[in-house]
Each structure stands twice: as structure tokens, then as C-alpha cells.
Amino acid sequence: MKSDTFVLSVDPEAPPPGIAGAVVAIGNFDGVHRGHRAVIFRAKQLAKKLGRPCAVLTFEPHPADFFAGAPTIFRLTSRDAKAHRLRELGLDGMVVMSFDAQLAGLEAEDFLQDILLRRLGAAGVVVGYDFHFGAKRSGTPDFLRRRGAELGLTVEIVEKVTADEQGSIEAVSSTATREALASGDVAAAAALLGHPWSVTGEVIHGAKLGRTLGYPTANLALDRNCALRHAIYAVEVELDGARLKGVASFGRRPTVEDNGPPLLEIHIFDFNGDLYGREIEVFFIAFLRAEEQFSSLDALQEQIRRDEAEARRILAA
């Protein structure tokens, strides 16, 4: 159930109205995968028990990008996409703390006292089994549990969520999801996430080659750190509340002489509307084939026909 109101607060100095005294789930929550959802579900249970709102505490930029000194990580969800998913899960809000040198150097005790207690007024905290915080990752789940008990702060630790129902030793993680997408295995990514991976963006003008070939496309320029395998995929597109079916190519268009930077090109089946400037969300359902170079545009056109037929078959099933 979605919250009627969802609070998005950046670097609050005092507990934000609407989520003051909340039970707080802490983490990066990139992708909001099944492991993250287990933490969120536990936080919602605790919040209900305590009669408190429930919120997520996350960080921007991603700590890995901060320590690298530049955006380098393949982000599964942008800040706004993350907030959208958390609202859909029924949370009351999301607090974003700027991950900078000051926050990175904060001792674990100071993080607990200043961030969790003073600035959020947290009534409870829920984290995953591998969550660490504070300078040099000195704040462990055990430290948080012990100090929480001393300070009257309810703390719960969620154990590892495995990648399959049979109890695989591999934990669900954002890293595993990125690796699946980098190999083009969008089905494995969906199993880890608990939902198909998607991207959201504004439709831009392209070279209009698809229209020439009889397959007009809606084009999105994805984040430059997107490591999705260059390939052809069966997709669904969310537009005006409807889910439309299609086939998409992500890559550098090797058959075309001036192939430029990677581009996501989506052909939506049985659709002729103008989407330029519109924002759409694209869900990756199945991998069809790797990107390849063809000897002619006629050969490319024939392969596109086969791709469309295969995508229609998969999406119909």
C-alpha cells in the first residue's frame, strides 16, 4: 500500500515533520532488491508495533563514487527512482544524507548520536547483517545492537537473503544484480530484485534510422556508467499508466557508420504516437541476442523482424 504522503528530506538538521521519531531502515538500497525489501518489511513491522512512522536513511552520492572521486558505479536506481519504489512499498519517507568527507570521517558513536538520534529522532533502527557505518566501517551490527540497548533505541538485524528459495549460499546484493545485467541476464537480475529491472528517461531525437527501416523507436540516453550488456531485449514500457510491449536495442549501433555513444532504442509494438520529450519507464523482460554488425541495412531489417517476432512470443507468454 502506498503512503498518502511521502516525505523526501535531504540533510535534515532536525527530525523532519511527518517522519520524526520514525523506525529507520538504513542502507544504500540501490535497486531496492529482495534483500533490501526484507529489511524494509522488518522495519515496517517494527514501526507498526511501536506505533511510529517508517522511513529509509540512504546516502548520495553512492559511497563508492565518493571514495573513487567521480561517478563510477553502475547505479541500478537513481535517487528519484528509489524514492518512487519506496513509496510504492508503503514507507512514509526517505532521508538522504550527503556522503562527503565529513560524513565519511564520522565515528560510529557520533553517527549514532548525531544522525540517528539528534537529526532523525529515530525510535528504532533496522539494518542488514552486513551493514557497516562510521569511519573505517567501525560501526558493526553488533555495535549498533549493543549501543541501541544502552540508549533505549530498538535495533533489529536482518539476516542474509539468499539468491534462491533453495538456500543458495549466494546473498542477494546490488553487486550480483549489476553483474547479471552486465552479462545481459535480465531474468537473473529480476530474480534478485524481485521485479524486472527498469530505467526511466526522457525520449530524445535519434538518427531516425528505425523509422526508415519501418521500425520507429523511442530513444533514451542512459547514464554513462550504465553497464548493461549491449544487446537486444524484449521489454515493456510504462506510459500513461499502461504497460505496452516492445523490443529494445541497447548499444552503439555497429551497422551504422556513425554509431556514437550507447543509446537505448525502443520499438513499441502497434504504437504510432509522438513521445519526444515524454518520460517513459522501460522494463527489461528477456535477453534476445547480443548486439552485432550486419553486412547491410537489408540484413539488419530482416533480423529486426525476427527480433520482433521473438519478443512478441516471449511477452505473450
Side-chain angles (χ1 to χ4, degrees), residues 3-39:
S3 297
D4 292 333
T5 58
F6 185 85
V7 177
L8 175 58
S9 179
V10 179
D11 293 329
E13 282 297 326
I19 53 173
V23 169
V24 179
I26 313 176
N28 288 313
F29 296 99
D30 190 24
V32 195
H33 57 58
R34 287 174 48 233
H36 296 146
R37 289 174 184 232
V39 173

Side-chain angles (χ1 to χ4, degrees), residues 70 90 117 125 191 294 309:
L117 296 181
V125 174
F294 293 90

Side-chain angles (χ1 to χ4, degrees), residues 237-244 271 274-275 278-281:
V237 178
E238 178 127 346
L239 180 66
D240 295 332
R243 280 285 188 100
L244 308 178
F271 180 83
D274 182 0
L275 293 178
R278 297 280 302 276
E279 185 173 88
I280 61 174
E281 185 172 8

Side-chain angles (χ1 to χ4, degrees), residues 9-230:
S9 179
V10 179
D11 293 329
E13 282 297 326
I19 53 173
V23 169
V24 179
I26 313 176
N28 288 313
F29 296 99
D30 190 24
V32 195
H33 57 58
R34 287 174 48 233
H36 296 146
R37 289 174 184 232
V39 173
I40 290 165
F41 179 70
R42 182 77 65 83
K44 288 176 65 179
Q45 286 183 313
L46 180 58
K48 184 177 181 179
K49 177 181 176 182
L50 298 178
R52 300 280 190 158
C54 189
V56 152
L57 170 60
T58 190
F59 310 95
E60 291 287 346
H62 193 289
D65 284 345
F66 168 77
F67 288 114
T72 59
I73 197 165
F74 171 16
R75 293 288 298 270
L76 300 173
T77 43
S78 65
R79 189 197 75 171
D80 291 344
K82 188 188 303 182
H84 175 71
R85 296 221 178 275
L86 295 174
R87 183 180 184 277
E88 286 187 324
L89 291 174
L91 291 179
D92 297 296
M94 180 173 86
V95 175
V96 181
M97 300 302 298
S98 297
F99 198 91
D100 53 18
Q102 181 179 358
L103 186 60
L106 205 61
E107 295 296 332
E109 178 69 22
D110 294 330
F111 180 92
L112 192 158
Q113 294 280 359
D114 185 55
I115 305 294
L116 295 182
L117 296 181
R118 183 182 72 82
R119 298 170 72 172
L120 298 184
V125 174
V126 180
V127 298
Y129 73 100
D130 59 349
F131 176 73
H132 289 72
F133 62 100
K136 299 180 181 178
R137 293 169 56 85
S138 58
T140 64
D142 285 341
F143 168 85
L144 191 57
R145 185 187 285 116
R146 175 177 58 81
R147 286 296 288 137
E150 294 169 353
L151 295 166
L153 180 68
T154 304
V155 174
E156 294 193 8
I157 312 298
V158 177
E159 296 305 315
K160 177 173 67 176
V161 175
T162 55
D164 58 48
E165 295 179 355
Q166 287 69 44
S168 163
I169 61 171
E170 179 186 1
V172 173
S173 68
S174 299
T175 297
T177 306
R178 293 185 191 104
E179 290 172 350
L181 293 171
S183 69
D185 195 345
V186 294
L192 291 163
L193 291 168
H195 54 83
W197 182 67
S198 68
V199 296
T200 301
E202 182 180 304
V203 177
I204 62 173
H205 289 273
K208 297 182 173 58
L209 176 62
R211 189 176 302 278
T212 301
L213 297 174
Y215 291 89
T217 60
N219 304 318
L220 301 183
L222 303 189
D223 186 274
R224 64 188 181 92
N225 292 318
C226 178
L228 176 68
R229 183 180 179 183
H230 290 186

